[in-house]
mmCIF file of all heavy atoms in Angstrom:
data_model
loop_
_atom_site.group_PDB
_atom_site.id
_atom_site.type_symbol
_atom_site.label_atom_id
_atom_site.label_comp_id
_atom_site.label_asym_id
_atom_site.label_seq_id
_atom_site.Cartn_x
_atom_site.Cartn_y
_atom_site.Cartn_z
ATOM 1 N N TRP A 1 56.245 -115.037 -11.025
ATOM 2 C CA TRP A 1 55.098 -115.917 -11.384
ATOM 3 C C TRP A 1 53.897 -115.871 -10.380
ATOM 4 O O TRP A 1 52.766 -116.095 -10.728
ATOM 5 C CB TRP A 1 55.636 -117.397 -11.504
ATOM 6 C CG TRP A 1 56.205 -117.878 -10.179
ATOM 7 C CD1 TRP A 1 57.511 -117.922 -9.932
ATOM 8 C CD2 TRP A 1 55.573 -118.438 -9.074
ATOM 9 N NE1 TRP A 1 57.690 -118.361 -8.635
ATOM 10 C CE2 TRP A 1 56.501 -118.738 -8.118
ATOM 11 C CE3 TRP A 1 54.201 -118.717 -8.759
ATOM 12 C CZ2 TRP A 1 56.223 -119.332 -6.889
ATOM 13 C CZ3 TRP A 1 53.866 -119.233 -7.533
ATOM 14 C CH2 TRP A 1 54.901 -119.577 -6.629
ATOM 15 N N ALA A 2 54.280 -115.392 -9.213
ATOM 16 C CA ALA A 2 53.241 -115.368 -8.120
ATOM 17 C C ALA A 2 52.432 -114.033 -8.169
ATOM 18 O O ALA A 2 51.359 -113.973 -7.589
ATOM 19 C CB ALA A 2 53.876 -115.492 -6.774
ATOM 20 N N ARG A 3 52.944 -113.059 -8.849
ATOM 21 C CA ARG A 3 52.195 -111.748 -8.904
ATOM 22 C C ARG A 3 51.036 -111.759 -9.869
ATOM 23 O O ARG A 3 50.233 -110.955 -9.794
ATOM 24 C CB ARG A 3 53.210 -110.699 -9.298
ATOM 25 C CG ARG A 3 54.296 -110.467 -8.281
ATOM 26 C CD ARG A 3 55.253 -109.366 -8.708
ATOM 27 N NE ARG A 3 56.411 -109.293 -7.741
ATOM 28 C CZ ARG A 3 57.444 -108.530 -7.943
ATOM 29 N NH1 ARG A 3 57.581 -107.803 -8.988
ATOM 30 N NH2 ARG A 3 58.399 -108.507 -6.981
ATOM 31 N N GLU A 4 51.021 -112.704 -10.708
ATOM 32 C CA GLU A 4 49.946 -112.773 -11.797
ATOM 33 C C GLU A 4 48.865 -113.730 -11.414
ATOM 34 O O GLU A 4 47.877 -113.814 -12.097
ATOM 35 C CB GLU A 4 50.530 -113.065 -13.131
ATOM 36 C CG GLU A 4 51.656 -112.093 -13.531
ATOM 37 C CD GLU A 4 52.360 -112.507 -14.820
ATOM 38 O OE1 GLU A 4 51.948 -113.637 -15.308
ATOM 39 O OE2 GLU A 4 53.185 -111.736 -15.319
ATOM 40 N N LEU A 5 49.034 -114.533 -10.359
ATOM 41 C CA LEU A 5 48.034 -115.560 -10.032
ATOM 42 C C LEU A 5 47.078 -115.077 -8.997
ATOM 43 O O LEU A 5 47.303 -114.099 -8.338
ATOM 44 C CB LEU A 5 48.793 -116.815 -9.493
ATOM 45 C CG LEU A 5 49.781 -117.442 -10.359
ATOM 46 C CD1 LEU A 5 50.443 -118.603 -9.681
ATOM 47 C CD2 LEU A 5 49.165 -117.968 -11.674
ATOM 48 N N SER A 6 45.936 -115.743 -8.930
ATOM 49 C CA SER A 6 44.959 -115.413 -7.920
ATOM 50 C C SER A 6 45.377 -115.919 -6.549
ATOM 51 O O SER A 6 46.257 -116.840 -6.480
ATOM 52 C CB SER A 6 43.626 -116.077 -8.293
ATOM 53 O OG SER A 6 43.743 -117.485 -8.304
ATOM 54 N N PRO A 7 44.852 -115.424 -5.499
ATOM 55 C CA PRO A 7 45.199 -115.830 -4.096
ATOM 56 C C PRO A 7 45.123 -117.372 -3.933
ATOM 57 O O PRO A 7 45.893 -118.024 -3.314
ATOM 58 C CB PRO A 7 44.321 -115.112 -3.219
ATOM 59 C CG PRO A 7 43.897 -113.859 -4.004
ATOM 60 C CD PRO A 7 43.835 -114.319 -5.372
ATOM 61 N N GLU A 8 44.003 -117.988 -4.469
ATOM 62 C CA GLU A 8 43.931 -119.438 -4.350
ATOM 63 C C GLU A 8 44.974 -120.229 -5.056
ATOM 64 O O GLU A 8 45.544 -121.144 -4.580
ATOM 65 C CB GLU A 8 42.464 -119.898 -4.871
ATOM 66 C CG GLU A 8 41.365 -119.365 -3.994
ATOM 67 C CD GLU A 8 40.987 -117.896 -4.362
ATOM 68 O OE1 GLU A 8 41.552 -117.404 -5.351
ATOM 69 O OE2 GLU A 8 40.165 -117.330 -3.637
ATOM 70 N N GLU A 9 45.322 -119.746 -6.347
ATOM 71 C CA GLU A 9 46.336 -120.424 -7.058
ATOM 72 C C GLU A 9 47.721 -120.220 -6.448
ATOM 73 O O GLU A 9 48.568 -121.184 -6.485
ATOM 74 C CB GLU A 9 46.367 -119.943 -8.504
ATOM 75 C CG GLU A 9 45.085 -120.284 -9.300
ATOM 76 C CD GLU A 9 45.151 -119.617 -10.681
ATOM 77 O OE1 GLU A 9 46.001 -118.772 -10.861
ATOM 78 O OE2 GLU A 9 44.313 -120.028 -11.481
ATOM 79 N N LYS A 10 47.992 -119.061 -5.871
ATOM 80 C CA LYS A 10 49.234 -118.782 -5.173
ATOM 81 C C LYS A 10 49.377 -119.767 -3.954
ATOM 82 O O LYS A 10 50.459 -120.394 -3.815
ATOM 83 C CB LYS A 10 49.323 -117.346 -4.640
ATOM 84 C CG LYS A 10 49.395 -116.297 -5.718
ATOM 85 C CD LYS A 10 49.451 -114.910 -5.034
ATOM 86 C CE LYS A 10 49.409 -113.849 -6.114
ATOM 87 N NZ LYS A 10 49.360 -112.467 -5.462
ATOM 88 N N GLU A 11 48.338 -119.881 -3.192
ATOM 89 C CA GLU A 11 48.415 -120.749 -1.994
ATOM 90 C C GLU A 11 48.615 -122.244 -2.460
ATOM 91 O O GLU A 11 49.382 -122.967 -1.868
ATOM 92 C CB GLU A 11 47.082 -120.651 -1.179
ATOM 93 C CG GLU A 11 47.143 -121.465 0.067
ATOM 94 C CD GLU A 11 45.836 -121.238 0.904
ATOM 95 O OE1 GLU A 11 45.096 -120.366 0.507
ATOM 96 O OE2 GLU A 11 45.734 -121.941 1.958
ATOM 97 N N LYS A 12 47.916 -122.598 -3.519
ATOM 98 C CA LYS A 12 48.077 -123.990 -3.987
ATOM 99 C C LYS A 12 49.435 -124.255 -4.479
ATOM 100 O O LYS A 12 50.069 -125.315 -4.224
ATOM 101 C CB LYS A 12 47.005 -124.261 -5.092
ATOM 102 C CG LYS A 12 47.017 -125.664 -5.658
ATOM 103 C CD LYS A 12 45.994 -125.801 -6.695
ATOM 104 C CE LYS A 12 45.924 -127.289 -7.262
ATOM 105 N NZ LYS A 12 44.871 -127.400 -8.311
ATOM 106 N N ARG A 13 50.080 -123.314 -5.249
ATOM 107 C CA ARG A 13 51.421 -123.492 -5.772
ATOM 108 C C ARG A 13 52.421 -123.505 -4.614
ATOM 109 O O ARG A 13 53.403 -124.255 -4.644
ATOM 110 C CB ARG A 13 51.743 -122.337 -6.772
ATOM 111 C CG ARG A 13 52.979 -122.577 -7.573
ATOM 112 C CD ARG A 13 52.977 -121.848 -8.789
ATOM 113 N NE ARG A 13 54.184 -122.087 -9.586
ATOM 114 C CZ ARG A 13 54.372 -121.606 -10.799
ATOM 115 N NH1 ARG A 13 53.447 -120.931 -11.406
ATOM 116 N NH2 ARG A 13 55.490 -121.886 -11.486
ATOM 117 N N LEU A 14 52.278 -122.625 -3.633
ATOM 118 C CA LEU A 14 53.251 -122.572 -2.549
ATOM 119 C C LEU A 14 53.100 -123.789 -1.689
ATOM 120 O O LEU A 14 54.106 -124.299 -1.130
ATOM 121 C CB LEU A 14 52.968 -121.327 -1.674
ATOM 122 C CG LEU A 14 53.323 -119.985 -2.373
ATOM 123 C CD1 LEU A 14 52.935 -118.781 -1.506
ATOM 124 C CD2 LEU A 14 54.877 -119.933 -2.521
ATOM 125 N N ARG A 15 51.919 -124.382 -1.504
ATOM 126 C CA ARG A 15 51.779 -125.608 -0.742
ATOM 127 C C ARG A 15 52.493 -126.791 -1.495
ATOM 128 O O ARG A 15 52.982 -127.686 -0.822
ATOM 129 C CB ARG A 15 50.291 -125.875 -0.523
ATOM 130 C CG ARG A 15 49.659 -125.021 0.528
ATOM 131 C CD ARG A 15 48.186 -125.507 0.801
ATOM 132 N NE ARG A 15 47.505 -124.632 1.718
ATOM 133 C CZ ARG A 15 47.629 -124.665 3.106
ATOM 134 N NH1 ARG A 15 48.412 -125.678 3.554
ATOM 135 N NH2 ARG A 15 46.937 -123.830 3.844
ATOM 136 N N SER A 16 52.360 -126.782 -2.842
ATOM 137 C CA SER A 16 53.023 -127.836 -3.542
ATOM 138 C C SER A 16 54.522 -127.755 -3.474
ATOM 139 O O SER A 16 55.229 -128.770 -3.564
ATOM 140 C CB SER A 16 52.556 -127.816 -5.025
ATOM 141 O OG SER A 16 52.923 -126.558 -5.620
ATOM 142 N N SER A 17 55.009 -126.504 -3.277
ATOM 143 C CA SER A 17 56.483 -126.371 -3.189
ATOM 144 C C SER A 17 57.042 -126.730 -1.779
ATOM 145 O O SER A 17 58.218 -126.663 -1.530
ATOM 146 C CB SER A 17 56.877 -124.924 -3.536
ATOM 147 O OG SER A 17 56.288 -124.011 -2.580
ATOM 148 N N GLY A 18 56.096 -126.978 -0.805
ATOM 149 C CA GLY A 18 56.534 -127.408 0.511
ATOM 150 C C GLY A 18 56.449 -126.341 1.543
ATOM 151 O O GLY A 18 56.796 -126.482 2.716
ATOM 152 N N THR A 19 55.837 -125.149 1.205
ATOM 153 C CA THR A 19 55.717 -124.006 2.178
ATOM 154 C C THR A 19 54.534 -124.314 3.030
ATOM 155 O O THR A 19 53.374 -124.503 2.483
ATOM 156 C CB THR A 19 55.549 -122.694 1.483
ATOM 157 O OG1 THR A 19 56.688 -122.498 0.557
ATOM 158 C CG2 THR A 19 55.576 -121.518 2.541
ATOM 159 N N VAL A 20 54.697 -124.343 4.349
ATOM 160 C CA VAL A 20 53.634 -124.638 5.289
ATOM 161 C C VAL A 20 53.001 -123.319 5.806
ATOM 162 O O VAL A 20 53.755 -122.493 6.337
ATOM 163 C CB VAL A 20 54.081 -125.504 6.448
ATOM 164 C CG1 VAL A 20 52.946 -125.834 7.391
ATOM 165 C CG2 VAL A 20 54.736 -126.791 5.892
ATOM 166 N N PHE A 21 51.722 -123.170 5.718
ATOM 167 C CA PHE A 21 51.029 -122.003 6.188
ATOM 168 C C PHE A 21 50.400 -122.306 7.517
ATOM 169 O O PHE A 21 49.695 -123.339 7.665
ATOM 170 C CB PHE A 21 49.949 -121.497 5.251
ATOM 171 C CG PHE A 21 50.494 -120.946 3.980
ATOM 172 C CD1 PHE A 21 50.723 -121.782 2.856
ATOM 173 C CD2 PHE A 21 50.758 -119.575 3.894
ATOM 174 C CE1 PHE A 21 51.264 -121.230 1.672
ATOM 175 C CE2 PHE A 21 51.359 -119.036 2.733
ATOM 176 C CZ PHE A 21 51.551 -119.865 1.630
ATOM 177 N N PRO A 22 50.514 -121.420 8.571
ATOM 178 C CA PRO A 22 49.817 -121.773 9.846
ATOM 179 C C PRO A 22 48.316 -121.596 9.690
ATOM 180 O O PRO A 22 47.847 -120.534 8.998
ATOM 181 C CB PRO A 22 50.381 -120.719 10.805
ATOM 182 C CG PRO A 22 50.951 -119.591 9.909
ATOM 183 C CD PRO A 22 51.357 -120.286 8.654
ATOM 184 N N GLU A 23 47.566 -122.345 10.306
ATOM 185 C CA GLU A 23 46.091 -122.268 10.206
ATOM 186 C C GLU A 23 45.607 -121.073 11.010
ATOM 187 O O GLU A 23 46.021 -120.786 12.141
ATOM 188 C CB GLU A 23 45.461 -123.593 10.753
ATOM 189 C CG GLU A 23 45.830 -124.776 9.919
ATOM 190 C CD GLU A 23 45.105 -125.997 10.495
ATOM 191 O OE1 GLU A 23 44.284 -125.837 11.389
ATOM 192 O OE2 GLU A 23 45.334 -127.080 9.910
ATOM 193 N N GLU A 24 44.701 -120.304 10.451
ATOM 194 C CA GLU A 24 44.182 -119.203 11.083
ATOM 195 C C GLU A 24 42.857 -119.586 11.861
ATOM 196 O O GLU A 24 41.938 -120.118 11.333
ATOM 197 C CB GLU A 24 43.692 -118.113 10.032
ATOM 198 C CG GLU A 24 44.942 -117.568 9.229
ATOM 199 C CD GLU A 24 44.548 -116.545 8.273
ATOM 200 O OE1 GLU A 24 43.301 -116.181 8.243
ATOM 201 O OE2 GLU A 24 45.328 -115.989 7.516
ATOM 202 N N HIS A 25 42.955 -119.295 13.182
ATOM 203 C CA HIS A 25 41.854 -119.587 14.127
ATOM 204 C C HIS A 25 41.277 -118.318 14.506
ATOM 205 O O HIS A 25 41.917 -117.417 15.079
ATOM 206 C CB HIS A 25 42.329 -120.362 15.271
ATOM 207 C CG HIS A 25 42.892 -121.769 14.921
ATOM 208 N ND1 HIS A 25 42.126 -122.815 14.589
ATOM 209 C CD2 HIS A 25 44.195 -122.147 14.779
ATOM 210 C CE1 HIS A 25 42.891 -123.856 14.295
ATOM 211 N NE2 HIS A 25 44.199 -123.445 14.417
ATOM 212 N N ILE A 26 39.993 -118.127 14.321
ATOM 213 C CA ILE A 26 39.241 -116.951 14.773
ATOM 214 C C ILE A 26 38.822 -117.200 16.260
ATOM 215 O O ILE A 26 37.882 -117.923 16.529
ATOM 216 C CB ILE A 26 37.993 -116.660 13.938
ATOM 217 C CG1 ILE A 26 38.400 -116.443 12.447
ATOM 218 C CG2 ILE A 26 37.299 -115.405 14.418
ATOM 219 C CD1 ILE A 26 37.346 -116.244 11.477
ATOM 220 N N GLU A 27 39.558 -116.575 17.150
ATOM 221 C CA GLU A 27 39.329 -116.826 18.569
ATOM 222 C C GLU A 27 38.297 -115.815 19.109
ATOM 223 O O GLU A 27 38.299 -114.625 18.724
ATOM 224 C CB GLU A 27 40.659 -116.718 19.342
ATOM 225 C CG GLU A 27 41.708 -117.774 18.934
ATOM 226 C CD GLU A 27 42.969 -117.684 19.752
ATOM 227 O OE1 GLU A 27 43.026 -116.757 20.533
ATOM 228 O OE2 GLU A 27 43.862 -118.543 19.562
ATOM 229 N N ARG A 28 37.498 -116.278 20.020
ATOM 230 C CA ARG A 28 36.462 -115.420 20.597
ATOM 231 C C ARG A 28 36.434 -115.698 22.076
ATOM 232 O O ARG A 28 36.509 -116.838 22.492
ATOM 233 C CB ARG A 28 35.108 -115.662 19.895
ATOM 234 C CG ARG A 28 33.976 -114.892 20.465
ATOM 235 C CD ARG A 28 32.698 -115.264 19.832
ATOM 236 N NE ARG A 28 31.597 -114.598 20.376
ATOM 237 C CZ ARG A 28 30.329 -114.853 20.065
ATOM 238 N NH1 ARG A 28 30.058 -115.745 19.166
ATOM 239 N NH2 ARG A 28 29.336 -114.205 20.610
ATOM 240 N N THR A 29 36.256 -114.622 22.807
ATOM 241 C CA THR A 29 36.160 -114.808 24.295
ATOM 242 C C THR A 29 34.829 -115.532 24.698
ATOM 243 O O THR A 29 33.811 -115.189 24.175
ATOM 244 C CB THR A 29 36.180 -113.408 24.968
ATOM 245 O OG1 THR A 29 37.362 -112.680 24.614
ATOM 246 C CG2 THR A 29 36.179 -113.586 26.468
ATOM 247 N N PHE A 30 34.981 -116.515 25.486
ATOM 248 C CA PHE A 30 33.837 -117.412 25.835
ATOM 249 C C PHE A 30 33.795 -117.471 27.346
ATOM 250 O O PHE A 30 34.821 -117.867 28.027
ATOM 251 C CB PHE A 30 33.979 -118.807 25.245
ATOM 252 C CG PHE A 30 32.841 -119.661 25.518
ATOM 253 C CD1 PHE A 30 31.594 -119.512 24.844
ATOM 254 C CD2 PHE A 30 32.916 -120.657 26.472
ATOM 255 C CE1 PHE A 30 30.612 -120.287 25.099
ATOM 256 C CE2 PHE A 30 31.793 -121.518 26.734
ATOM 257 C CZ PHE A 30 30.659 -121.307 26.056
ATOM 258 N N TYR A 31 32.668 -117.126 27.940
ATOM 259 C CA TYR A 31 32.427 -117.181 29.375
ATOM 260 C C TYR A 31 31.499 -118.410 29.667
ATOM 261 O O TYR A 31 30.494 -118.562 29.134
ATOM 262 C CB TYR A 31 31.783 -115.932 29.891
ATOM 263 C CG TYR A 31 32.594 -114.700 29.776
ATOM 264 C CD1 TYR A 31 32.428 -113.845 28.669
ATOM 265 C CD2 TYR A 31 33.541 -114.420 30.744
ATOM 266 C CE1 TYR A 31 33.201 -112.690 28.533
ATOM 267 C CE2 TYR A 31 34.363 -113.287 30.576
ATOM 268 C CZ TYR A 31 34.164 -112.381 29.493
ATOM 269 O OH TYR A 31 34.888 -111.244 29.365
ATOM 270 N N LEU A 32 32.080 -119.263 30.540
ATOM 271 C CA LEU A 32 31.277 -120.486 30.941
ATOM 272 C C LEU A 32 30.167 -120.040 31.923
ATOM 273 O O LEU A 32 29.219 -120.806 32.110
ATOM 274 C CB LEU A 32 32.180 -121.492 31.560
ATOM 275 C CG LEU A 32 33.005 -122.269 30.612
ATOM 276 C CD1 LEU A 32 33.921 -123.262 31.350
ATOM 277 C CD2 LEU A 32 32.145 -123.051 29.596
ATOM 278 N N ALA A 33 30.338 -118.898 32.539
ATOM 279 C CA ALA A 33 29.334 -118.458 33.568
ATOM 280 C C ALA A 33 27.999 -118.001 32.921
ATOM 281 O O ALA A 33 27.016 -117.980 33.674
ATOM 282 C CB ALA A 33 29.947 -117.357 34.447
ATOM 283 N N CYS A 34 28.024 -117.732 31.602
ATOM 284 C CA CYS A 34 26.787 -117.251 30.987
ATOM 285 C C CYS A 34 26.838 -117.488 29.493
ATOM 286 O O CYS A 34 27.902 -117.837 28.993
ATOM 287 C CB CYS A 34 26.495 -115.738 31.232
ATOM 288 S SG CYS A 34 27.615 -114.716 30.328
ATOM 289 N N THR A 35 25.701 -117.426 28.846
ATOM 290 C CA THR A 35 25.633 -117.637 27.402
ATOM 291 C C THR A 35 25.790 -116.255 26.668
ATOM 292 O O THR A 35 25.744 -115.185 27.300
ATOM 293 C CB THR A 35 24.307 -118.248 27.020
ATOM 294 O OG1 THR A 35 23.248 -117.378 27.457
ATOM 295 C CG2 THR A 35 24.151 -119.608 27.672
ATOM 296 N N ALA A 36 26.012 -116.366 25.382
ATOM 297 C CA ALA A 36 26.196 -115.141 24.636
ATOM 298 C C ALA A 36 24.949 -114.522 24.059
ATOM 299 O O ALA A 36 24.925 -113.479 23.492
ATOM 300 C CB ALA A 36 27.142 -115.442 23.476
ATOM 301 N N ASP A 37 23.814 -115.220 24.180
ATOM 302 C CA ASP A 37 22.532 -114.754 23.654
ATOM 303 C C ASP A 37 21.385 -115.335 24.443
ATOM 304 O O ASP A 37 21.606 -116.132 25.337
ATOM 305 C CB ASP A 37 22.424 -115.120 22.224
ATOM 306 C CG ASP A 37 21.612 -114.161 21.443
ATOM 307 O OD1 ASP A 37 20.897 -113.300 22.074
ATOM 308 O OD2 ASP A 37 21.559 -114.209 20.199
ATOM 309 N N ILE A 38 20.229 -114.891 24.063
ATOM 310 C CA ILE A 38 18.979 -115.427 24.672
ATOM 311 C C ILE A 38 18.512 -116.708 23.933
ATOM 312 O O ILE A 38 18.392 -116.702 22.694
ATOM 313 C CB ILE A 38 17.874 -114.392 24.689
ATOM 314 C CG1 ILE A 38 18.361 -113.157 25.489
ATOM 315 C CG2 ILE A 38 16.541 -114.947 25.216
ATOM 316 C CD1 ILE A 38 17.322 -111.976 25.453
ATOM 317 N N ILE A 39 18.348 -117.799 24.676
ATOM 318 C CA ILE A 39 17.918 -119.039 24.106
ATOM 319 C C ILE A 39 16.455 -119.018 23.732
ATOM 320 O O ILE A 39 15.600 -118.792 24.613
ATOM 321 C CB ILE A 39 18.208 -120.239 25.057
ATOM 322 C CG1 ILE A 39 19.632 -120.215 25.572
ATOM 323 C CG2 ILE A 39 17.773 -121.581 24.476
ATOM 324 C CD1 ILE A 39 19.948 -121.144 26.712
ATOM 325 N N ASP A 40 16.185 -119.232 22.409
ATOM 326 C CA ASP A 40 14.764 -119.244 22.006
ATOM 327 C C ASP A 40 13.979 -118.059 22.612
ATOM 328 O O ASP A 40 13.106 -118.265 23.414
ATOM 329 C CB ASP A 40 14.149 -120.550 22.324
ATOM 330 C CG ASP A 40 12.765 -120.727 21.703
ATOM 331 O OD1 ASP A 40 12.423 -119.940 20.754
ATOM 332 O OD2 ASP A 40 11.931 -121.688 22.161
ATOM 333 N N PRO A 41 14.246 -116.844 22.158
ATOM 334 C CA PRO A 41 13.657 -115.661 22.874
ATOM 335 C C PRO A 41 12.156 -115.711 22.815
ATOM 336 O O PRO A 41 11.517 -116.068 21.870
ATOM 337 C CB PRO A 41 14.224 -114.480 22.153
ATOM 338 C CG PRO A 41 14.793 -115.049 20.797
ATOM 339 C CD PRO A 41 15.118 -116.461 21.090
#
């Protein structure tokens, strides 16, 4: 039944069945010593 559904419907159906998905965090290196760009160039 899961092979014919769209990714959103699959996730919704699996969440309703009690399957917990870990949240995806896009991590990025951040330096406090400097900024990543020029402020108002």
Side-chain angles (χ1 to χ4, degrees):
W1 59 265
R3 296 178 183 175
E4 302 175 358
L5 301 177
S6 62
E8 294 80 8
E9 293 176 349
K10 289 179 187 178
E11 185 177 354
K12 185 178 179 181
R13 189 158 182 174
L14 289 172
R15 285 186 184 277
S16 62
S17 64
T19 307
V20 181
F21 290 90
E23 297 183 3
E24 295 183 1
H25 299 282
I26 301 175
E27 298 182 356
R28 180 182 175 187
T29 305
F30 182 77
Y31 294 98
L32 285 176
C34 74
T35 59
D37 207 350
I38 298 175
I39 305 170
D40 188 14

